[in-house]
């Protein structure tokens, strides 16, 4: 689909700029072209207000994220395959196809871009935890069982 390819290209270009220059008014504006402004604002708020942990498997280097809010916790995977256990992902992404991702996945993509460009202040944004591959696999199974 031509429109989806253009949006995907635009999103990747925004992430590239974020990795080079960080988050500024221009990158926020460009993200608001692809996503509703409120959606972008909520994703950026996650970076500062919520507890985000990136779990990395020691050997395989696979990752998943846990995002803890005041009310609940969600597990997200971003990259070539995107998934989040939040209700918005289930409704707006999977069922209705309204958005290509939820705010949690967008926040993760932004974190990844900031980390690539070394524009990340990790103590303010997220925690990194390297875990054994077996523990990683067990966590994935547990999350899958919880969300089904």
């Amino acid at each position: 689909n031509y429109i989806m390819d253009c949006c995907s290209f635009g999103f990747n270009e925004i992430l590239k700029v974020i990795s080079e220059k960080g988050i500024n008014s221009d990158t926020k504006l460009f993200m608001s072209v692809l996503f509703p402004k409120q959606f972008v604002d909520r994703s950026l708020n996650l970076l500062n207000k919520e507890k985000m942990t990136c779990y990395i498997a020691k050997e395989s280097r696979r990752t998943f994220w846990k995002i803890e809010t005041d009310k609940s916790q969600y597990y997200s995977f971003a990259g070539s395959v995107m998934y989040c256990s939040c209700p918005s992902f289930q409704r707006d992404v999977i069922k209705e196809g309204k958005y290509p991702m939820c705010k949690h996945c967008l926040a993760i993509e932004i974190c990844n871009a900031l980390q690539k460009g070394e524009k990340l202040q990790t103590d303010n944004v997220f925690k990194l935890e390297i875990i054994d591959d077996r523990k990683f696999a067990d966590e994935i199974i547990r999350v899958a069982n919880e969300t089904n």
Side-chain angles (χ1 to χ4, degrees):
N1 184 335
Y2 176 75
I3 292 174
M4 196 56 141
D5 288 344
C6 289
C7 289
S8 182
F9 175 77
F11 182 65
N12 289 331
E13 286 300 306
I14 291 169
L15 292 177
K16 183 179 171 187
V17 171
I18 288 172
S19 74
E20 294 167 357
K21 299 181 180 180
I23 297 169
N24 57 40
S25 58
D26 289 341
T27 53
K28 287 180 192 178
L29 177 66
F30 291 135
M31 281 190 287
S32 295
V33 169
L34 298 176
F35 302 102
K37 184 183 179 322
Q38 187 177 22
F39 184 89
V40 172
D41 290 343
R42 287 178 180 168
S43 295
L44 294 173
N45 282 338
L46 285 173
L47 300 178
N48 300 317
K49 295 184 179 178
E50 305 301 343
K51 185 178 175 187
M52 295 176 64
T53 306
C54 177
Y55 293 92
I56 303 172
K58 193 179 208 172
E59 298 297 320
S60 67
R61 308 305 290 169
R62 294 176 294 164
T63 61
F64 75 89
W65 293 72
K66 181 167 86 172
I67 296 115
E68 296 176 79
T69 67
D70 292 336
K71 299 176 185 172
S72 37
Q73 62 184 17
Y74 303 111
Y75 296 89
S76 300
F77 306 86
S80 60
V81 174
M82 204 168 286
Y83 174 79
C84 186
S85 63
C86 75
S88 175
F89 190 90
Q90 309 305 311
R91 181 187 61 247
D92 298 334
V93 178
I94 294 175
K95 289 181 182 165
E96 297 176 12
K98 192 173 175 181
Y99 303 117
M101 65 187 78
C102 66
K103 67 181 180 182
H104 306 107
C105 289
L106 179 56
I108 290 167
E109 291 287 351
I110 293 168
C111 278
N112 287 335
L114 290 169
Q115 187 177 22
K116 281 181 191 169
E118 299 177 1
K119 299 286 184 193
L120 192 59
Q121 298 171 346
T122 50
D123 25 321
N124 297 341
V125 179
F126 71 87
K127 182 170 86 169
L128 224 50
E129 193 170 319
I130 297 173
I131 59 177
D132 179 71
D133 279 57
R134 183 70 218 159
K135 184 178 178 184
F136 183 93
D138 291 343
E139 271 302 298
I140 299 294
I141 292 167
R142 187 183 64 72
V143 169
N145 288 332
E146 279 182 13
T147 57
N148 288 331

